[in-house]
Amino acid sequence: LNEWMTEDQAQRVIFNLQHIDATGMARNQRIHEYLVYGMPLTVDRGGRQETPTVRFIDFDHPEPGAGLNEYVVTTQFRVRRGNERGSDRTTEDDERVVKPDLVLFVNGIPLVVMEAKSPSLLEVWKAKAVRQLLRYQEAGPEWHGTGAPELFDTNLMCVALCGADAAYAAIGAPENAYAQWKSTEPFSTPAFEQRFGMPPEGQARLIGGLLNPPVLVDILRDFVVYEPERGRLVKKLPRYQQYRAVRHAIDRVLIGRTPSERGGVVWHTQGSGKSLTMLFLATKLRRSPALQNPMIVVVTDR
């Protein structure tokens, strides 16, 4: 991704990411912007100062094996806290241990933290998983000193799953914000079964649909919003309906030959995120090289 970069320069980039002058959600936002848009790095080239942009993700070739991205899934990824030294605690509820069940890395960057629970817990499985994820994040004063918030500096989303079901949300989100992902696009049901060897049911639907590398990288790039709400910064991710609507709208705009083929209607219920869908769509339209930075007109009723 950065063939010009030396090892020393790479260490400077890592240092810069780890020493962002912000905390909490503002820190996550700053790092997110670097991951998406790149990080300017001043270097000396033959006595001349230049500022190339460091790339972290190969967004143009997201398919595994097709581009330069490395996708790694870890199990029981152990993060040592400052006051933990060389112990081997294995108790699940030991609050001195930070050991997420699954962590998804892209190019060495932890983007997704996942917590798995037994389906035998029935309806409380999600509450237990989300509570553990919030503890890892130190998302409230009651968890101060019991987690590893640095693991979530680069986080795109958190996932709770139990075999029979799965749900996702952004960092800091309460349990009622964790939502299912019911779309398997770009796979049809038969293509999904052929690719993954199982039907899109239970947790497999979210794993194969949302965590499919091209979809995950696409969401990282164009479907994340940070918005102030009631005095605090909130991170918002798309629901599967919004993601699907934007994908289909982009396809119509790029493939349609006539205005009627390019146009269409997206139906929303009240309060279901129309503004966010338009924002995601505008981002994708401006991103498309074929449209050459188009003018976007937004008509509102207020």
Side-chain angles (χ1 to χ4, degrees), residues 88-253:
D88 189 26
R89 307 184 185 99
T90 57
T91 305
E92 180 187 37
D93 296 326
D94 189 335
E95 300 221 333
R96 296 165 296 183
V97 174
V98 177
K99 193 165 57 176
D101 290 322
L102 297 158
V103 180
L104 276 55
F105 291 80
V106 180
N107 300 338
I109 301 166
L111 290 185
V112 183
V113 176
M114 306 171 68
E115 197 62 32
K117 294 298 177 186
S118 169
S120 65
L121 293 171
L122 301 178
E123 65 271 9
V124 302
W125 72 268
K126 186 160 73 170
K128 285 183 170 292
V130 172
R131 181 176 175 81
Q132 207 155 339
L133 288 166
L134 290 172
R135 196 259 291 181
Y136 292 159
Q137 300 168 43
E138 296 188 4
E142 66 270 35
W143 289 297
H144 180 69
T146 67
E150 296 87 352
L151 176 62
F152 297 87
D153 286 349
T154 59
N155 183 269
L156 172 61
M157 68 180 70
C158 297
V159 174
L161 68 165
C162 74
D165 200 0
Y168 71 101
I171 59 171
E175 181 191 348
N176 61 8
Y178 276 72
Q180 296 175 315
W181 187 272
K182 297 183 179 180
S183 173
T184 61
E185 293 188 6
F187 302 111
S188 64
T189 297
F192 188 101
E193 293 191 30
Q194 183 178 10
R195 174 75 175 266
F196 300 112
M198 62 181 66
E201 299 171 359
Q203 68 180 22
R205 184 168 49 188
L206 182 144
I207 293 171
L210 174 60
L211 303 182
N212 179 28
V215 175
L216 189 70
V217 169
D218 192 28
I219 288 175
L220 173 69
R221 190 184 202 186
D222 293 330
F223 290 86
V224 179
V225 173
Y226 294 85
E227 193 170 19
E229 283 190 357
R230 299 172 189 167
R232 68 189 189 100
L233 190 61
V234 176
K235 183 176 184 176
K236 298 183 178 181
L237 301 173
R239 296 298 189 228
Y240 73 92
Q241 300 98 323
Q242 294 169 316
Y243 184 73
R244 186 170 60 188
V246 170
R247 278 182 55 93
H248 284 256
I250 288 291
D251 286 345
R252 289 183 72 103
V253 168

